[in-house]
Structures are given as C-alpha cells and as structure tokens.
Amino acid sequence: MTALPQYERLEAPGIWRESPEAQRQEVIVSFGDATLVIADDRSVKALAHWSLPALVRRNPGKLPAIYAPSDEPGEELEIDDETMVEAIERVHSILESRRPHPGRLRGWLTGGTLALAGLLAVFWLPGALIAQAARVAPQAKRVEIGHQVLAELTTLTGMPCSTGQGRRALNALRTRLAGPEEIVVLPQALKGARRLPGKVVAIGRDTISGLDTPEVAAGHIIAAELASAGEDPLLTLLEWAGASAAFRLLTTGDLPDSALRGYGQVLLANPPAMPDTDSLLAAFAQAGVSSTPYAYSLDPSGESVLSVIEADPFKGAPAPRPVLDDAQWIALREICD
C-alpha cells in the first residue's frame, strides 16, 4: 500500500546523490505509505528512506524534479517520471491544505495536531514501519535472515543433519515440490515443518525417521507452506521483534544481534495450524503427492485427519510420479545417522 489509495505499488527510476561531492548513481524510487525508499537499481538494497511530509522540492514546476530530504544541503534525488512526481506533489498538496492557519483557535489546533501526531507515533507508525521493512527487503536479505532464524533454532535443535547424499536427496525433494528454495532437517525438538524467511523450510527428524515413505516429509512441507500462504514469514518475525528491529533493518540493512533471541523457542512452541481439508487436499493433488501418509503421521483419530485420509486424491491409485526414488529416500532417511 502507498500513501495514496489509487496506487497499490508505485516505483520509478531516479538519480541519487548522497552529498554535493558524491557521484550520481541510478536508483529505484519506491513510493510508500509514509516514506520514499531509495534503493540501488542493481542490488535493490535500500540506500535511504525519506519522510514524505518532509520532502523539499528544489525546482518547483520543472522536470526532472529535484528533491531533498530537508532544507539542509546534502542528499538530492532527481525524478523525471511524471506519475511519481505527481504522486509526491499530491501528498504535499494534501498536507498543505490540512496545515493549520493563524487564528483564535491556533493554540487548540496545534495542541490537537500534536496529540494526533503522538497517537500516530504510538499506534500507527510502528506498524507502518514494520510493514515497510518487510515489504522492501530483497530476496537475498530474506534468505540471509532465514539462515539467521535457522541458526537461532539450532541452539535448541542441534545443527542441521548433513551428508553428501542426504543433501542431494533434499535438493531432489525441493525440486520435486517446487516451493521451498532450501530444505534442512533438524535432529531434535522440531516436530513437523516450519517455513522461515527466504523460502527456507526446516523439517524435524520425525518426518523421515521410522517411516517407510517420503510422502510424510513432503506432506508436512506442503501443509506448512499452505498454512502460511498469504503470510510473510519476515513480517511475522518483525512483528515479534518490534519496530526498533524493523527500523534497524530499514536504515542499515541488518537486524540487531538481539532481535532473534528467543524466536527459535517461539517457532518450536507454535506449529502451523492444519489448513482446512479442502485446501489441503487441493494442494496435495496439485503437488502430485498422496495425503494419506502425512495424515497417518498426525493423530489419525481426528475428524479432519480422517477426512484427509478418506479423500486422498490418489487413494487406490499411484501418484503421477514418486516423491523420491528409492536411493534418494534411503539417503534422506540416513541423513541424521
């Protein structure tokens, strides 16, 4: 979302200069709900965040428009995209029309404005800051944070299981399911699967040990992905870590060391809810995986679990292709040995 309801997302190229002496560089400018985000056009790494209300235009009425974050000399941004310039100017027009004018009620209006600003700072700004940080984080940063979450998890579960053939089997499983970018097996404490930022999925040893089919591990991954569909794992993490961690991510590109402390325990204690039966069966059918082995790995006496067994899209018939071949499945079962 942006500061103007007609734009769900608005981006444009620009030329940014960090200081009067600095070299000009091409950037991508994103129009947010409270800020203008300036990011490197190659790495998509955020370089600066400017408050929309504080923007100053150096050359009114001319193109390319030249903006600065304040009246002080320093950073400058050139934009020649008319849609972006119009959006910025419209925000300024709205702010100008709402600006209080001198009069007998000026003191009351000023006090009310300050009170409103205080309420916004307390109740709206933190949520907007967290949402913005999650929204602008590039995929490479999401993967990095996903590995940081995984490192926090391993303090409770032990290091991920790894053998040469086991890793190749996990890559085959990842390719077969066409969802996760990386799958790791944790040796203890974790039950089922958890979806981490960056499309990293952690599965517990219970999904591969003592079982006779890889459909159980595949099923837990499918269920975890479906349970968090429409939810951004990075946003969930930042909502837990708080606005200060989100602000640090926005301004420096990194989370503070303390931001993830304790999050592993939260993930272990809160398994994803089982999706509704119809959606789950549709996901199994789309993935070409039998739902029965997964259902039997849960409490088979539950009504919803029985429904997953009874309505297995491949009940009585083989799936289009196996999840893993026999050699890959043996390698995966032995990955923690």
Side-chain angles (χ1 to χ4, degrees):
M1 296 300 295
T2 69
L4 298 175
Q6 63 266 45
Y7 301 116
E8 183 175 350
R9 182 179 179 87
L10 181 59
E11 293 182 343
I15 303 295
W16 177 70
R17 184 168 59 185
E18 188 174 12
S19 66
E21 299 78 25
Q23 184 176 357
R24 289 149 49 96
Q25 68 179 96
E26 296 182 356
V27 295
I28 297 296
V29 182
S30 300
F31 184 82
D33 50 7
T35 61
L36 208 63
V37 181
I38 302 169
D40 185 273
D41 69 331
R42 293 183 180 179
S43 67
V44 200
K45 180 179 180 180
L47 301 172
H49 297 79
W50 292 0
S51 167
L52 281 173
L55 283 185
V56 175
R57 186 167 181 178
R58 303 283 198 201
N59 60 341
K62 297 180 180 179
L63 284 177
I66 301 176
Y67 292 99
S70 68
D71 288 317
E72 299 296 323
E75 294 179 80
E76 282 191 351
L77 174 66
E78 293 182 18
I79 303 175
D80 59 8
D81 185 278
E82 294 183 1
T83 302
M84 177 67 77
V85 172
E86 180 182 352
I88 294 172
E89 295 304 315
R90 183 168 182 183
V91 168
H92 279 196
S93 297
I94 293 173
L95 292 173
E96 181 61 31
S97 68
R98 295 175 179 175
R99 195 166 291 164
H101 300 283
R104 290 184 303 169
L105 298 178
R106 179 169 184 169
W108 291 101
L109 291 175
T110 301
T113 301
L114 291 174
L116 177 60
L119 289 173
L120 288 175
V122 172
F123 296 106
W124 175 80
L125 185 58
L129 190 68
I130 289 170
Q132 179 71 4
R135 187 160 46 239
V136 302
Q139 177 62 14
K141 176 57 63 175
R142 292 173 180 272
V143 172
E144 179 184 326
I145 293 173
H147 287 159
Q148 288 178 296
V149 174
L150 181 60
E152 173 67 17
L153 264 176
T154 61
T155 63
L156 302 168
T157 65
M159 296 299 293
C161 300
S162 181
T163 64
Q165 291 183 338
R167 288 194 300 272
R168 287 190 286 274
L170 286 174
N171 284 332
L173 179 60
R174 174 185 59 81
T175 302
R176 172 66 172 80
L177 296 179
E181 291 292 333
E182 181 179 357
I183 302 173
V184 297
V185 180
L186 298 179
Q188 56 188 8
L190 176 64
K191 302 296 183 183
R194 300 292 188 277
R195 182 170 173 244
L196 310 180
K199 296 184 178 181
V200 178
V201 176
I203 61 176
R205 188 175 184 177
D206 65 307
T207 64
I208 61 172
S209 296
L211 306 168
D212 58 3
T213 174
E215 274 84 357
V216 175
H220 279 280
I221 294 170
I222 292 169
E225 294 260 300
L226 182 61
S228 55
E231 298 178 5
D232 183 349
L234 179 56
L235 177 61
T236 303
L237 164 62
L238 292 176
E239 287 174 341
W240 178 84
S244 61
F247 180 76
R248 179 79 170 270
L249 180 61
L250 275 173
T251 55
T252 69
D254 295 303
L255 287 172
D257 294 337
S258 61
L260 299 178
R261 196 169 297 137
Y263 193 60
Q265 185 63 52
V266 172
L267 287 175
L268 292 179
N270 294 277
M274 185 175 175
D276 70 85
T277 302
D278 291 341
S279 299
L280 188 60
L281 290 169
F284 273 94
Q286 183 176 4
V289 176
S290 171
S291 63
T292 298
Y294 160 76
Y296 272 116
S297 73
L298 307 175
D299 178 5
S301 64
E303 182 177 345
S304 59
V305 174
L306 289 174
S307 299
V308 173
I309 295 172
E310 290 298 322
D312 185 342
F314 301 104
K315 186 175 183 179
R321 58 193 177 99
V323 171
L324 295 174
D325 63 34
D326 290 343
Q328 291 168 336
W329 172 227
I330 292 172
L332 182 56
R333 290 185 67 179
E334 295 175 350
I335 193 171
C336 292
D337 293 343

